[in-house]
Amino acid sequence: MQNFKQLAKNVIEIEQQAIAELVQYIDDNFELACQLMFHCKGRVIVIGMGKSGHIGGKIAATLASTGTPAFFVHPGEASHGDLGMITSNDVVLTISNSGETSEVLAIIPVIKRIGAKLISMTGNTDSTLAKLADTHVCIKVSAEACPLGLAPTSSTTAALVMGDALAVALLNARDFTADDFALSHPGGSLGKRLLLRLNDIMHQGERIPVVSEHALIKDALVEMSLKGLGMTAIVNDKQQLVGLFTDGDLRRVLDNRVDIHSDSISTVMTHNPRVAQSDMLAAQALKIMEDNKINGLIIVDNNNKLVGAMNMHDFLSSGVL
């Protein structure tokens, strides 16, 4: 019987070592590669064949989502028309562990003639691709995790990590923010947390549970039942928020034998409740609710006038939570 667990541990240890060895290659050539991509007026074009191509596609996607416009071009397709995607304003990042991949080398003369800058990422500093490039980023590994030394394993991991190093270095150089990141990720839960604001998801107008400070407790209960948020805002004659009444407050009222038919809501409401502004990020508002262990939130404007309301279900339905 094979010891699969030990074999797997061996692979991880070999690849960990390969990543650790990359630190020595963060040198002036790496710096020049970053400078070329940072000052690029066009796009970063990533090219690779086979497993390097798969890694190149991921590197291009990471660059594009972190502020460096980029896309992947297959070298075979490039030879049959896709070289038209490359302009003199672009920077081409080629990936090849050997630095001698024929499909990649075949298009280098055309890239040179176009006038695009060329960065090579290989495991061989003496390779043809390394010598033809404007700068070469070394990703040499001492051993593949494959016991035959044939299947790209450590070498592709090293290429992926070096690509991440380039992308993150550029991200920081561009002062790329969470808001910038969200603009390229609007569809997922991350984008919603970074883009959605309260005015996008809060209850507004007739959907807001609200009663006057002169209303009776029973009136507040009717409003809470109608609007279904488990609370109601209490406002003065100027529609400014003066208090809040929740399901939790109701339980306390019943324990104190208050007469809901004759007592005013202002005698039992919570004064100075937690509030938020409509332009606040939904994720920030959610943190306020979690930190204060509350299920609802009232939204007011700069004059403390009631403009919205929401509860935890709204965060769930919007995908923020």
Side-chain angles (χ1 to χ4, degrees), residues 112-224:
K112 289 283 191 178
R113 184 170 180 177
I114 290 170
K117 294 295 184 181
L118 181 62
I119 302 169
S120 65
M121 186 185 292
T122 84
N124 183 0
T125 56
D126 294 322
S127 64
T128 303
L129 191 55
K131 292 176 179 178
L132 290 174
D134 293 292
T135 187
H136 172 252
V137 178
C138 186
I139 51 171
K140 183 178 180 180
V141 298
S142 55
E144 295 284 9
C146 168
L148 300 176
L150 298 175
T153 46
S154 301
S155 57
T156 49
T157 298
L160 182 62
V161 171
M162 189 63 81
D164 285 343
L166 289 167
V168 175
L170 290 166
L171 177 154
N172 281 280
R174 297 183 194 282
D175 292 326
F176 196 74
T177 67
D179 285 343
D180 296 324
F181 190 84
L183 290 175
S184 59
H185 299 75
S189 59
L190 176 62
K192 290 177 180 178
R193 291 181 67 87
L194 294 174
L195 286 176
L196 277 181
R197 299 187 182 274
L198 291 186
N199 54 18
D200 296 318
I201 60 176
M202 69 186 186
H203 296 262
Q204 304 180 55
E206 294 297 321
R207 299 170 62 204
I208 304 174
V210 55
V211 296
S212 164
E213 62 183 332
H214 307 297
L216 300 177
I217 297 175
K218 68 173 184 177
D219 299 322
L221 297 181
V222 170
E223 181 72 356
M224 289 168 65

Side-chain angles (χ1 to χ4, degrees), residues 198 202-203 207-211 224 229-235 239-246 270 272-278 280 285 288-289 294-301 304-312 314-315:
L198 291 186
M202 69 186 186
H203 296 262
R207 299 170 62 204
I208 304 174
V210 55
V211 296
M224 289 168 65
L229 294 185
M231 64 180 181
T232 183
I234 297 96
V235 297
Q239 296 302 303
Q240 293 173 314
L241 184 72
V242 295
L244 179 69
F245 190 73
T246 69
T270 298
N272 301 315
R274 295 283 178 179
V275 297
Q277 300 286 314
S278 62
M280 177 182 288
I288 290 175
M289 293 172 66
I294 56 178
N295 293 318
L297 195 61
I298 297 298
I299 297 92
V300 297
D301 65 13
N304 203 40
K305 286 189 176 182
L306 181 66
V307 295
M310 62 189 311
N311 65 10
M312 200 64 76
D314 297 311
F315 290 104

